[in-house]
């Protein structure tokens, strides 16, 4: 069974925490250490960013990380090589997140094959048109048991959401807003209503909420309305500040996510 499906099948009432970081930032050779440290510290699954020169959906923090990674010399080929080196030590699902252009240059089938060889369970491709996913990418990915995770936003229609739900597997990435990535202090009532509306649809796939999660308030809102939360910009910032020391970055992240009041949700 694909590790993503296995993780969600076994979750019960547990709420998951997924972290994103950009491969090759802040250091070219740090990818494996960051992944293994996150696994050791209890992160449920990891999104590894493929750096790209024109990341349209990303805010300044992740754009900056991608720029630094490219300057450091990170490529998709190097990333797969780094993942291969730690494959036997990684037990949690790894998901590659990147834009379509580098994947097309690498080749769709070659990409899927390399993912499986490197222990990757899924991919998120924000600019992949759904028709191309269904007609071109999905048949290839299915042969390699690779999950292609699709995104929904507050502007996605109910009809479209149900269509995505029926034609994907693994989980649905529920973007908290239509804006670019970046930390937020809280989710306003409009976002909360969006969360409740999707909850009431009783979708087949579990959902993970991402974009803007950086503290206890946003984490609690996400985890109470989905299977868990995805944190990107906040962790990327902390990892940069810690000069690639993932343990230090995680210490600071867990502190930021912890509830100041006792007897509440803790990480």
């Amino acid at each position: 069974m694909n590790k993503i499906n296995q993780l969600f099948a076994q979750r019960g009432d547990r709420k998951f925490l997924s972290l994103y970081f950009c491969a090759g930032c802040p250091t070219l050779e740090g990818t494996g250490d960051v992944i293994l440290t996150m696994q050791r510290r209890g992160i449920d699954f990891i999104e590894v960013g493929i750096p790209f020169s024109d990341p349209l959906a990303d805010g300044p923090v992740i754009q900056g990380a991608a720029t630094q990674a490219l300057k450091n010399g990170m490529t998709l080929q190097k990333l797969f090589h780094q993942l291969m080196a730690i494959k036997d030590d990684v037990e949690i699902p790894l998901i590659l997140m990147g834009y379509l252009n580098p994947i097309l240059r690498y080749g769709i089938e070659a990409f899927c094959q390399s993912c499986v060889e490197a222990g990757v369970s899924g991919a998120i491709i924000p600019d992949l048109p759904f028709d191309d996913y269904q007609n071109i990418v999905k048949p290839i990915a299915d042969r390699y048991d690779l999950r292609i995770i699709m995104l929904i936003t507050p502007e996605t229609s109910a009809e479209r959401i149900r269509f995505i739900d029926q034609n994907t597997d693994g989980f649905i990435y529920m973007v908290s807003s239509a804006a670019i990535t970046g930390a937020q202090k809280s989710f306003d009532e409009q976002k909360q209503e969006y969360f409740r509306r999707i909850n009431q649809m009783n979708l087949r796939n579990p959902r993970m909420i991402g974009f803007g999660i950086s503290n206890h308030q946003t984490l609690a809102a996400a985890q109470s309305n989905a299977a868990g939360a995805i944190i990107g910009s906040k962790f990327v910032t902390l990892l940069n500040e810690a000069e690639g020391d993932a343990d230090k970055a995680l210490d600071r992240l867990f502190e930021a996510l912890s509830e100041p009041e006792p007897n509440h949700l803790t990480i």
Side-chain angles (χ1 to χ4, degrees):
M1 178 185 291
N2 182 284
K3 286 184 180 180
I4 297 172
N5 298 90
Q6 186 175 12
L7 179 71
F8 284 100
Q10 296 174 347
R11 77 182 179 97
D13 295 329
R14 180 181 175 188
K15 297 296 184 178
F16 292 134
L17 179 62
S18 174
L19 299 185
Y20 166 96
F21 77 103
C22 183
C25 180
T27 66
L28 177 62
E29 301 298 338
T31 304
D33 179 69
V34 172
I35 290 171
L36 294 176
T37 301
M38 284 198 277
Q39 176 176 263
R40 174 170 52 81
R41 297 293 298 272
I43 302 305
D44 296 296
F45 62 93
I46 300 168
E47 293 179 18
V48 183
I50 303 168
F52 180 52
S53 58
D54 192 21
L56 297 177
D58 294 318
V61 170
I62 294 178
Q63 285 187 22
T67 298
Q68 184 61 53
L70 292 172
K71 288 180 179 179
N72 289 345
M74 177 55 72
T75 65
L76 189 50
Q77 290 87 346
K78 288 182 180 179
L79 173 55
F80 280 129
H81 179 75
Q82 291 177 352
L83 295 178
M84 281 291 295
I86 62 170
K87 176 182 177 181
D88 293 341
D89 298 318
V90 178
E91 299 177 355
I92 62 177
L94 297 181
I95 298 171
L96 295 189
M97 185 168 187
Y99 291 86
L100 187 57
N101 187 280
I103 296 171
L104 286 177
R105 291 204 307 266
Y106 194 88
I108 297 294
E109 180 138 12
F111 174 79
C112 293
Q113 182 175 350
S114 292
C115 281
V116 173
E117 292 173 350
V120 173
S121 299
I124 300 170
I125 311 172
D127 58 342
L128 173 64
F130 199 82
D131 287 346
D132 289 343
Y133 157 74
Q134 278 196 297
N135 298 324
I136 301 172
V137 177
K138 186 178 186 298
I140 299 172
D142 285 351
R143 290 204 305 269
Y144 290 92
D145 197 32
L146 186 72
R147 301 292 175 263
I148 305 299
I149 307 303
M150 304 301 290
L151 290 77
I152 64 172
T153 75
E155 282 69 39
T156 308
S157 69
E159 180 182 11
R160 183 72 167 178
I161 291 170
R162 292 200 183 279
F163 186 71
I164 290 172
D165 187 45
Q166 292 167 4
N167 291 278
T168 60
D169 191 17
F171 68 93
I172 291 174
Y173 192 130
M174 189 172 164
V175 177
S176 66
S177 71
I180 58 175
T181 58
Q184 299 178 30
K185 291 184 178 180
S186 63
F187 290 137
D188 59 24
E189 177 57 30
Q190 185 177 11
K191 292 185 178 68
Q192 298 276 1
E193 173 56 32
Y194 160 56
F195 297 160
R196 291 191 290 267
R197 174 169 58 86
I198 303 303
N199 265 336
Q200 293 170 1
M201 295 182 70
N202 296 314
L203 300 176
R204 178 179 63 87
N205 280 297
R207 289 161 289 111
M208 295 287 293
I209 296 178
F211 282 45
I213 299 169
S214 64
N215 56 21
H216 175 74
Q217 288 79 7
T218 48
L219 175 69
Q223 291 189 328
S224 64
N225 286 284
I230 300 168
I231 297 177
S233 296
K234 180 69 173 181
F235 182 69
V236 170
T237 297
L238 295 175
L239 189 62
N240 283 335
E241 291 174 351
E243 299 180 343
D245 187 326
D247 267 315
K248 288 183 180 179
L250 287 167
D251 285 342
R252 293 189 60 191
L253 178 66
F254 292 156
E255 181 180 357
L257 298 178
S258 64
E259 169 60 59
E261 299 292 335
N263 302 321
H264 282 54
L265 175 68
T266 58
I267 297 299

